[in-house]
Amino acid sequence: MNHSESNFPNWHGTTIVAVRQNGKTVIAGDGQVSMGATIVKGGARKVRALAGGKVITGFAGATADAFTLLERLEAKLELFPDQLARACVDLAKDWRTDRYLRRLEAMLLVADRNHILTLTGVGDVLEPEDGVAAIGSGGVYALSAARALMEYEPDAEVIARKAMKIAASICVYTNDHLTLETLS
């Protein structure tokens, strides 16, 4: 399968990290939007609250595709209130089987008070074992930094901010203009 046929976006242009620590869940995202080697925008908002503030999410990939998925997720959350995992699995099924949705180039990090989930266009709904997940071009850097900080820092927001700062210092497709959403 060539890249144009896959459901994995061209990662250049974003970093999203989710951290759950001591009863607090945070999703942080940078604001950089890139086209190739050019920074188009530095302050994009890729992190949002859904379901009346009970769910937070961040996206990587094509913005229009991500918004389509977020709208579908919101509908699933209305159909399955307070059942984040079920709503995400149902969305992943649709995403995998629906001819239109299958072409969408984005990934989502979704969290409530109890779960952090990564959703992909190939049908994955993944929950990290350690309370940290990340997506996007700088995702591996943010994930590594957050995992290292979990042992030493008790506050999820501090961990997310520091992890994003580290990712921005390494990944040229990540900046330090952050948007954060928090659930306590």
Side-chain angles (χ1 to χ4, degrees):
M1 176 188 294
N2 71 39
H3 179 73
S4 64
E5 296 175 86
S6 82
N7 277 19
F8 291 102
N10 181 352
W11 291 119
H12 302 308
T14 201
T15 301
I16 307 291
V17 68
V19 179
R20 189 174 63 247
Q21 178 88 315
N22 294 327
K24 189 178 191 181
T25 303
V26 175
I27 294 183
D30 77 319
Q32 186 162 307
V33 176
S34 303
M35 287 179 70
T38 304
I39 297 170
V40 178
K41 184 175 182 177
R45 185 174 152 77
K46 304 170 205 165
V47 176
R48 306 211 178 310
L50 302 175
K54 293 181 183 178
V55 173
I56 53 178
T57 185
F59 67 86
T63 304
D65 292 355
F67 282 145
T68 298
L69 292 167
L70 292 174
E71 288 172 7
R72 299 271 181 139
L73 177 59
E74 192 119 54
K76 297 294 184 184
L77 291 167
E78 288 175 15
L79 191 60
F80 305 112
D82 300 321
Q83 297 180 61
L84 180 65
R86 184 169 181 191
C88 288
V89 167
D90 211 49
L91 174 62
K93 270 197 264 182
D94 291 351
W95 193 356
R96 179 82 172 135
T97 59
D98 182 275
R99 211 177 167 134
Y100 168 73
L101 294 179
R102 205 173 330 153
R103 292 187 171 93
L104 298 181
E105 298 284 333
M107 282 184 82
L108 303 177
L109 274 182
V110 182
D112 64 9
R113 290 184 187 167
N114 302 312
H115 302 93
I116 295 172
L117 301 170
T118 303
L119 282 73
T120 73
V122 294
D124 295 320
V125 178
L126 306 168
E127 184 169 15
E129 294 178 350
D130 56 3
V132 180
I135 58 175
S137 58
V140 294
Y141 308 115
L143 178 66
S144 298
R147 281 185 179 168
L149 290 164
M150 291 284 283
E151 190 174 329
Y152 305 103
E153 177 57 57
D155 186 85
E157 185 173 331
V158 172
I159 293 169
R161 286 183 184 281
K162 286 182 177 181
M164 290 297 292
K165 184 176 181 178
I166 290 167
S169 73
I170 298 169
C171 178
V172 296
Y173 297 105
T174 303
N175 71 13
D176 59 1
H177 186 283
L178 298 183
T179 302
L180 281 98
E181 289 287 343
T182 303
L183 297 171
S184 296

